[in-house]
Amino acid sequence: MKKFKKIIEYYKPYKKEFITSLIFSVLTASIDTFIPFICRFITDKVIKFETNEAIKIIYYLILIILFFIILRYFFYKYCYHKGHLYAAKIEVDIKNDIFRHLQTQDFAFFDNDKVGKLMTSITNDAFNISVVLKHTPEVLLDAIIKIIFIFWFLFFNNWKFALILFVMFIFVIIFMWYFLPKIQKLNSDSREIFSDLASDLEENLSGIRTVQSFNNENIAINKFNQNNIKYLKTKNKMYLTESIFYSGIFAFIYLWAPIITAIGSIFILKNSLNMSQVITFLIYVGILEGPLWGIVRLNDFLKDGLVGFNRIIKILGTKPKIKNSENNIKLENIRGKIEFKNIFFGYNKNKIIFENLNLKINPGEYIALVGASGSGKSTICNLIPRFYDILNGEILIDNINIKNIEIKNLRENIGFVHQDTFLFSGTIKENISFGKINSCEEEVIEAAKKAYAHEFIMNLPDKYETHIGNKGLTLSGGQRQRIAIARVFLKNPKILIFDEATSSLDNESEKFIQKSMEKLSENRTMIVIAHRLSTIRNAKRILVLSNGKIVEEGTHEELLAKNGIYYEFYNFL
């Protein structure tokens, strides 16, 4: 029930348009059922009047019919325009809620959920739900009003004839009741497979360079083809079931007219009905087809909408594991002291990385983390901004537990440069400005100069307004890293983290990055992860990690003198 309550809340900002649409839908359905009643009155009563009087009454009734048709025009126009508009607004609200909710999720959430599925929820699912929210009340209300009025009229005129039609109608409803859940289940399965296809497609296209560099195009094609075959099999089952369903509905609907004609003829011969009543019955049964097709069409909306509904509720129901504590504080005049106390951590409880880890970094200290892949270097860096939460222990900044610091404030004071630099599609200026929203052009240029990026930017055709393409792939790796560092310069944090920022660069680019890092480290606490040990010789302290433990510690010279793990790394690399 809570699930539906959450979705129904989206109506609240637009309740005026929603209620007005429902009222106008009721009036439209009423007009649809009332006009045949006037027609029946003409054919059954008026034609028996004196000719001139009958013609006069017919003219008046035609004017009344035209009046109701004009009213229906405006009612339907409002329902279509305003109804679809508030549905579009609901769609936008759902998308905003999902996107806003995703921004609060921790890294673990995105580690477990494929980006393609999340993108499907933001785009397709939000639209499908808005369609359901728009059409469901209107279609059901229209169907209820027409069914009740039509059968009331039929029973009032001839209950025996009406009972026959009612039994046929109930049979159609049972037929629909049996098949619609089956169709919805099959559609749900196909939508899930489609979502997996979208995820695989997004993953493959994002990694197309890796696929092609290893000549694994055929493997990618076969994997995608297998998923497509699985999708096709599910679709085949669904279309087979739908073919039986729709063929059955068509057969029932097309049977009504000849059955009414045949039975009506028998009733006429027995003087139980007259011709005008049979004609009116035919008209009303024709109108009855509308609600039936409305329900069938609604099922098409529900097929996609219910799948999207469950996915979105699942996303919105996933509470952020990392959130602000009550009575959280903001850091002011941060010095940059960092301390790990008795840390226990694992990305899942079955695989613990740190057991009782202790580490102290002094304000303004430049330290480096060295170790084999999987030793815990990047994990240490990810824990400081609370991208993940520890299982036990404390992480302190300036002697304050980071769980007691407002998350936004904590991350404002930390600058992070990753190995795989992510740049947004847009201009260079926009990407650097991401470090400080609403920064002026002079600040952007100054940050680029400090990062040794200004010179190559000025050589580009549009300089700072140059569009860099998807993920900045029109730039070299070194250029992307320098833009990322310029972004950090603009942010101006007191704590800096470089996670293997130079591992994939050529020697010339590495020199520029090294200069940028040295300039950026002035009066800041800096943590650097590096595979190239040449880049960390100037670190005040180097920590060597192995299997989640700090096994060696000292300066470059001190560690070489120990002839230990660091010595082996240095000589090997």
Side-chain angles (χ1 to χ4, degrees), residues 562-573:
K562 289 181 179 181
N563 290 326
I565 296 175
Y566 184 82
Y567 178 84
E568 292 177 4
F569 272 135
Y570 185 77
N571 285 295
F572 178 76
L573 295 172

Side-chain angles (χ1 to χ4, degrees), residues 22 46 56 68 83 96 144 148 184 187 244 260 272 279 292 300 331 334 340 351 410 443 449 463 487 502 540:
L22 288 185
V46 176
K56 185 178 179 181
F68 280 118
N96 284 336
I144 290 168
I148 290 174
Q184 288 175 359
N187 184 69
I244 297 170
I260 290 171
S272 297
I279 292 171
L292 285 177
D300 291 336
L331 292 173
I334 182 173
F340 285 61
K351 188 178 180 182
L410 171 68
E443 290 177 303
K449 287 179 179 178
K463 300 178 175 54
R487 197 156 58 190
T502 63
K540 293 180 181 178

Side-chain angles (χ1 to χ4, degrees), residues 422-434 444 456-457 460-475 480 483 487:
F422 187 89
L423 298 181
F424 297 93
S425 57
T427 66
I428 288 176
K429 180 183 175 182
E430 288 169 347
N431 271 279
I432 296 176
S433 298
F434 198 74
V444 172
F456 88 77
I457 292 173
L460 295 173
D462 297 316
K463 300 178 175 54
Y464 282 86
E465 297 300 327
T466 299
H467 284 264
I468 59 176
N470 183 38
K471 298 180 182 178
L473 292 178
T474 59
L475 303 176
R480 290 198 298 272
I483 289 175
R487 197 156 58 190

Side-chain angles (χ1 to χ4, degrees), residues 35 38-67:
I35 289 176
I38 297 175
C39 295
R40 191 243 169 154
F41 178 71
I42 293 173
T43 56
D44 194 36
K45 303 291 183 182
V46 176
I47 59 173
K48 296 177 181 179
F49 296 169
E50 190 271 326
T51 302
N52 290 331
E53 184 183 359
I55 292 173
K56 185 178 179 181
I57 293 172
I58 289 172
Y59 283 148
Y60 282 128
L61 291 175
I62 289 173
L63 289 175
I64 290 171
I65 290 172
L66 286 174
F67 172 74

